Amino acid sequence: AVSKNHGKALLNCRSAKLEYCVDIVPSRADEFAAAYGGKALYDYHDLKDLDIDSVHVVTPHNTHFRIVMDLLDWGFNVFCEKPLALDVEEARKMAAKAKEKNLLLSVCFQNRTNSAAMEAKEMIEKLTFGKMVSAMVLVAWDRHGKYYTESPWRGRKTLSGGGVVMNQAIHTLDLLDYLC
């Protein structure tokens, strides 16, 4: 579902070109390629010997570890949707592999680039209202049941790493960390 956001962003990026898109459901890969460019592939292993700089991983959470580890082994920089992994140990292994291979591994937390977040960051750094001494966050939005039922991996600890904390609140927690 989030791949469309990546497709739109890449279409508007002057310093990147979308070369390939991969989905195990051929019709989805074909539709994505038609909308955003690139050649459709149906198995990420087909990327192994291609000349590309980086790969966006926008797959269900439980697939991130294996795919990212393979991509790093193949020499690709990786931009992975949140959460990076289902647990801290997987994330540490991924970070270690990226360091070992001298590659970039980053996690998509797009709310950091919202204009309000960037302005808040600047104000905090410039001490516009003085030194920050405490902060609190509130997640004031939710996903309704359909969000979880339309994809069987969502909201299941073994497949997504958890429920609301891994799907929604993770963005708010990231902003708290980023801003403070």
Side-chain angles (χ1 to χ4, degrees):
V2 76
S3 66
K4 293 172 183 71
N5 296 337
H6 288 255
K8 290 174 191 172
L10 289 167
L11 273 178
N12 294 314
C13 183
R14 285 182 256 130
S15 61
K17 180 181 178 196
L18 179 64
E19 294 284 347
Y20 304 94
C21 56
V22 183
D23 198 306
I24 61 172
V25 178
S27 62
R28 288 194 307 227
D30 295 339
E31 289 169 14
F32 186 93
Y36 305 107
K39 178 183 177 189
L41 301 173
Y42 313 119
D43 183 334
Y44 81 94
H45 291 92
D46 293 338
L47 297 171
K48 184 178 182 178
D49 297 316
L50 297 175
D51 182 24
I52 49 181
D53 297 320
S54 64
V55 178
H56 289 216
V57 176
V58 292
T59 58
H61 301 175
N62 64 309
T63 66
H64 291 181
F65 179 73
R66 181 73 269 135
I67 292 172
V68 168
M69 292 297 278
D70 284 344
L71 293 169
L72 293 169
D73 273 335
W74 301 338
F76 300 126
N77 296 299
V78 178
F79 185 57
C80 187
E81 264 298 330
K82 61 79 183 159
L84 180 60
L86 294 184
D87 61 50
V88 173
E89 191 54 39
E90 283 185 353
R92 286 185 178 134
K93 288 177 182 176
M94 295 158 94
K97 176 69 71 174
K99 185 174 183 177
E100 168 195 324
K101 297 284 191 171
N102 197 30
L103 295 167
L104 298 174
L105 171 62
S106 57
V107 183
C108 183
F109 283 112
Q110 74 279 5
N111 290 342
R112 290 180 177 201
T113 62
N114 292 345
S115 59
M118 293 190 313
E119 187 173 347
K121 181 75 168 171
E122 183 178 326
M123 292 168 70
I124 290 166
E125 289 176 349
K126 288 183 175 180
L127 303 174
T128 302
F129 298 107
K131 182 180 176 187
M132 184 181 298
V133 294
S134 69
M136 183 176 91
V137 295
L138 173 67
V139 179
W141 61 281
D142 66 8
R143 300 271 194 194
H144 298 286
K146 183 180 178 195
Y147 174 82
Y148 292 98
T149 58
E150 66 187 11
S151 291
W153 61 270
R154 289 182 177 150
R156 306 324 186 268
K157 183 160 180 53
T158 57
L159 300 177
S160 73
V164 69
V165 171
M166 295 304 267
N167 280 303
Q168 289 86 250
I170 194 170
H171 292 291
T172 307
L173 292 170
D174 175 64
L175 283 176
L176 178 68
D177 178 60
Y178 174 66
L179 294 172
C180 299

